[in-house]
């Protein structure tokens, strides 16, 4: 679907209405092709050369060939198509997240570590993608993440909303839950978020406190 491809490309590497994107360096293109078997009647006619007698048959056989539509990654810097295995696992794993977030078909998405294998700037940008999909496209996300950068982007947008700088996200839009295993039992600990983008509750076992220890 071309409109979905356009939306995906704006977020993968381009401009969008939020003024931000993943700047991944890659976009996607839809290629359409037809395979021509070497032993086919059509190949024989083409090798023999088109004539007035066989032009109509060649046209008919061409129309009967099954079309194959497939997505390819496009390297925006080098302006060449590339294979998914050539661009690093981060892009390969992130692209399905972007497509699902922008697709009209999915409303509830469960994603494990959407930030995996991508650098910090892109991890933060994923936060803006999730906000866009949730607020503009009515998506609901269930995320498991270890990314401080993604979480800090969400907190930043909450703070900006309170300051009327960029009103996009409020505390009620997100639910932060710390999951830990104690003596074989899984415990879910809610972490409340204030309107200024700060946590109201302390993270267990110093989670998110390491940043302050390293900085100060």
């Amino acid at each position: 679907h071309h409109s979905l491809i356009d939306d995906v490309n704006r977020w993968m590497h381009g401009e969008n209405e939020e003024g931000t994107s993943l700047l991944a360096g890659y976009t996607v293109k839809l290629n359409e092709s037809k395979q021509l078997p070497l032993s086919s009647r059509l190949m024989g006619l083409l090798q023999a050369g088109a004539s007035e007698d066989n032009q109509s048959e060649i046209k008919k056989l061409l129309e009967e060939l099954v079309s194959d539509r497939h997505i390819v990654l496009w390297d925006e810097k080098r302006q060449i198509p590339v294979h998914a295995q050539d661009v690093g696992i981060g892009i390969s794993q992130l692209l399905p997240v972007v497509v699902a977030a922008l697709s009209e078909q999915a409303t509830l998405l469960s994603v494990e570590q959407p930030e995996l294998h991508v650098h910090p700037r892109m991890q933060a940008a994923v936060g803006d993608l999730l906000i866009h999909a949730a607020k503009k496209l009515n998506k609901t996300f269930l995320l498991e993440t270890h990314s401080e950068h993604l979480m800090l982007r969400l907190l930043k947008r909450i703070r900006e909303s309170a300051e009327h700088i960029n009103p996009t996200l409020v505390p009620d839009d997100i639910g932060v839950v710390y999951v830990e295993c104690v003596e074989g039992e899984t415990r879910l600990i809610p972490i409340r978020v204030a309107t200024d983008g700060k946590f109201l509750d302390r993270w267990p076992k110093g989670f998110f406190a390491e940043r302050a220890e390293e900085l100060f």
Side-chain angles (χ1 to χ4, degrees):
H1 197 285
H2 285 285
S3 62
L4 176 57
I5 291 178
D6 292 341
D7 290 342
V8 168
N9 286 342
R10 276 192 291 269
W11 274 98
M12 285 293 293
H13 188 81
E15 294 295 330
N16 49 47
E17 60 190 46
E18 282 79 8
T20 183
S21 77
L22 299 174
L23 293 179
Y26 300 93
T27 54
V28 294
K29 292 182 180 291
L30 179 63
N31 279 0
E32 187 169 0
S33 60
K34 293 186 176 185
Q35 292 188 357
L36 177 59
L38 294 177
S39 59
S40 66
R41 165 70 175 170
L42 177 57
M43 177 59 78
L45 290 173
L46 293 175
Q47 288 177 331
S51 65
E52 293 184 4
D53 295 332
N54 62 23
Q55 280 186 358
S56 60
E57 184 180 3
I58 290 175
K59 181 179 179 181
K60 179 177 180 295
L61 292 174
L62 278 172
E63 292 173 350
E64 291 176 354
L65 288 176
V66 178
S67 295
D68 177 34
R69 305 177 71 190
H70 58 280
I71 294 291
V72 297
L73 278 172
W74 184 261
D75 186 319
E76 288 291 335
K77 183 178 181 178
R78 295 183 294 169
Q79 290 293 296
I80 59 172
V82 292
H83 296 290
Q85 61 266 29
D86 298 329
V87 300
I89 193 171
I91 297 297
S92 300
Q93 292 189 346
L94 188 57
L95 180 57
V97 176
V98 177
V99 173
L102 300 175
S103 171
E104 296 178 354
Q105 298 180 355
T107 56
L108 174 61
L109 301 172
S110 177
V111 185
E112 181 180 6
Q113 298 187 62
E115 77 287 346
L116 198 62
H117 301 301
V118 298
H119 57 73
R121 181 193 55 75
M122 288 179 63
Q123 292 180 30
V126 168
D128 281 322
L129 170 66
L130 300 177
I131 293 171
H132 169 83
K135 302 293 286 187
K136 299 291 182 66
L137 306 177
N138 297 317
K139 306 275 186 176
T140 299
F141 294 93
L142 178 62
L143 301 176
E144 187 270 328
T145 181
H146 297 138
S147 173
E148 181 186 34
H149 304 286
L150 192 159
M151 191 72 244
L152 288 175
R153 177 58 57 88
L154 299 181
L155 297 179
K156 177 182 179 180
R157 297 310 185 206
I158 289 175
R159 183 179 70 253
E160 289 177 344
S161 294
E163 296 172 353
H164 306 289
I165 298 173
N166 182 23
T168 55
L169 198 68
V170 297
D172 287 344
D173 291 329
I174 68 173
V176 182
V177 179
Y178 178 81
V179 181
E180 67 175 348
C181 184
V182 179
E183 297 179 352
E185 179 181 88
T186 300
R187 297 181 182 178
L188 306 179
I189 304 174
I191 308 294
R192 294 173 299 164
V193 178
T195 54
D196 61 358
K198 296 180 180 179
F199 292 117
L200 292 171
D201 303 300
R202 292 181 63 86
W203 283 81
K205 298 181 180 180
F207 200 83
F208 263 86
E210 293 87 348
R211 173 183 173 85
E213 292 177 2
E214 293 295 328
L215 289 175
F216 307 108

